[in-house]
Amino acid sequence: MTVRTVVYDRSVVEGREGSGLDALREARSATGTTWVRVSAPTDEELDRVAEAFDLHALEIEDVQGTPAPKVEEFPEHTFVLVKSARLRGGETTFEEEIRDQPVGLFFGHDWIVTITAEETAAVGSVWERVAREEPRLLGNDADFTAYRVLDAIVDEYFAILDEIGRDIEAVEDRIIDDPDTETLEILNSLRRELLSIRRIVWPTRDAVSVLARGDAAHVRSGTEKYYRDVYDHLVQHVELVETYRDLASGARDIYLNTLSQSTNEVMKRLTVVATIILPLTFVVGVYGMNFSGGPYNMPELGWRFGYPAVVAGMALTAAVMLGYFRSSGWL
């Protein structure tokens, strides 16, 4: 559980100690922009933060739950709920699944509160930029800091989609070289990953559009262009997700077609073998009826070269049929 507070303006960054209600209220009223970063909080800490910054109980409940990304307007602040995402690897290269967690952004004119269930790289990267006194961050209000956090989260989606794209290319090569049952499992895993990232990207795009088109009262007109840039990135994400879904579906169709073709090749070879054996079985069956002592017996049964002649005839029949099948493209 961690509650960290920093107050900054164009010239200075000041860290604040304490997570009590009085300390939080004092930080909120301080000159400059106040950022309270909350990670893995207890219920008591959440209650103190909510009371100090007038956060609604339903907002806190959303951050603790798993709702879709959204934006809500309140008289004193804007609430943005997005999801940070990352790929968690398994035992093999392709055994990965997307892990996401809600990130709550609450910002007014001169303060911002971020709440996450655990430490988040996207939030941490922006926090470090503030600590390094990056001029662009220090010279803007809380809405710009919220934009930087959103931008860092959206950049994580790029990394995930790039990884999925490389996996799809690898699977396509694998389908051509050596399709097997494991390939189908990999394809299904990739399709699940794409479905998971789609459930994140689509509502995030809709939420950021509210901030980009000027509907949020606490987003300055000068900052809207930055949110429009994030929105453009999310539009690209949506297009990539749909493209990769098409590629994954196409790869799955190729796999099924390749498997069907392989089965047809096996059946063709079995048919050729059965067709060759059929006349040989007939000959063997006929000469297996080796009756003797009657007027209808086969006279060649008593021929000295009868057996070699029949075997040679059977070999010649098989050779002729093999030659015919090969010339017809069956083999």
Side-chain angles (χ1 to χ4, degrees):
M1 55 183 180
T2 305
V3 178
R4 285 164 286 187
T5 305
V6 65
V7 179
Y8 58 91
D9 56 23
R10 293 179 181 272
S11 59
V12 65
V13 176
E14 178 188 359
R16 294 294 185 97
E17 298 294 335
S19 60
L21 181 59
D22 292 338
L24 292 172
R25 283 176 172 170
E26 181 182 351
R28 178 179 179 178
S29 61
T31 302
T33 300
T34 301
W35 183 358
V36 177
R37 180 185 175 190
V38 184
S39 303
T42 63
D43 292 339
E44 292 77 10
E45 288 173 329
L46 280 178
D47 291 340
R48 289 197 296 268
V49 172
E51 185 175 353
F53 290 89
D54 299 320
L55 306 182
H56 197 281
L58 292 178
E59 297 177 273
I60 302 299
E61 182 179 331
D62 286 340
V63 175
Q64 292 177 307
T66 56
K70 62 180 179 178
V71 171
E72 291 183 356
E73 283 292 315
F74 291 84
E76 298 298 327
H77 69 275
T78 297
F79 169 49
V80 182
L81 180 67
V82 291
K83 290 189 176 182
S84 174
R86 61 186 175 88
L87 275 176
R88 191 182 74 173
E91 296 178 357
T92 67
T93 303
F94 297 99
E95 287 184 358
E96 297 173 319
E97 50 187 11
I98 294 176
R99 290 287 186 246
D100 62 77
Q101 67 159 326
V103 177
L105 297 170
F106 311 81
F107 62 93
H109 172 67
D110 60 353
W111 60 268
I112 177 173
V113 175
T114 58
I115 300 178
T116 57
E118 59 186 45
E119 293 289 344
T120 304
V123 178
S125 65
V126 182
W127 182 270
E128 291 172 2
R129 291 190 180 105
V130 172
R132 293 197 304 266
E133 301 185 7
E134 183 178 303
R136 288 187 66 195
L137 275 169
L138 301 188
N140 288 278
D141 290 342
D143 58 344
F144 187 81
T145 304
Y147 145 72
R148 293 298 294 267
V149 174
L150 282 174
D151 188 52
I153 290 173
V154 171
D155 285 344
E156 292 179 341
Y157 303 161
F158 264 129
I160 292 173
L161 289 173
D162 285 344
E163 183 68 25
I164 292 176
R166 287 192 293 269
D167 287 348
I168 291 176
E169 291 178 0
V171 170
E172 288 176 338
D173 294 337
R174 183 168 178 168
I175 288 174
I176 296 174
D177 297 336
D178 185 25
D180 53 23
T181 55
E182 185 180 356
T183 305
L184 184 59
E185 295 177 3
I186 295 170
L187 280 171
N188 289 333
S189 176
L190 289 173
R191 286 162 62 88
R192 287 193 298 270
E193 290 174 11
L194 288 169
L195 181 60
S196 297
I197 194 67
R198 186 178 188 272
R199 289 173 177 169
I200 297 173
V201 171
W202 275 79
T204 303
R205 182 196 62 174
D206 296 338
V208 172
S209 69
V210 176
L211 305 172
R213 63 175 180 249
D215 293 346
H218 299 90
V219 175
R220 296 172 301 144
S221 58
T223 313
E224 290 174 7
K225 60 179 176 290
Y226 296 106
Y227 285 102
R228 285 196 293 270
D229 181 66
V230 176
Y231 176 79
D232 291 339
H233 290 170
L234 287 166
V235 170
Q236 296 177 32
H237 292 336
V238 170
E239 293 174 351
L240 274 177
V241 168
E242 296 305 317
T243 299
Y244 287 158
R245 288 186 71 194
D246 291 340
L247 288 176
S249 297
R252 187 171 183 270
D253 292 340
I254 293 173
Y255 168 80
L256 294 176
N257 291 335
T258 303
L259 187 62
S260 177
Q261 182 178 358
S262 177
T263 302
N264 290 339
E265 289 295 326
V266 172
M267 294 302 298
K268 183 190 296 185
R269 285 173 172 76
L270 291 176
T271 301
V272 169
V273 171
T275 304
I276 293 174
I277 291 177
L278 182 62
L280 305 184
T281 304
F282 174 76
V283 172
V284 171
V286 169
Y287 279 92
M289 297 185 299
N290 49 356
F291 299 106
S292 62
Y296 302 108
N297 67 315
M298 293 179 283
E300 62 271 23
L301 292 178
W303 184 31
R304 179 178 179 181
F305 299 103
Y307 177 73
V310 171
V311 172
M314 294 169 63
L316 179 62
T317 300
V320 170
M321 296 182 71
L322 280 173
Y324 172 76
F325 289 137
R326 188 178 297 277
S327 63
S328 300
W330 279 44
L331 293 174

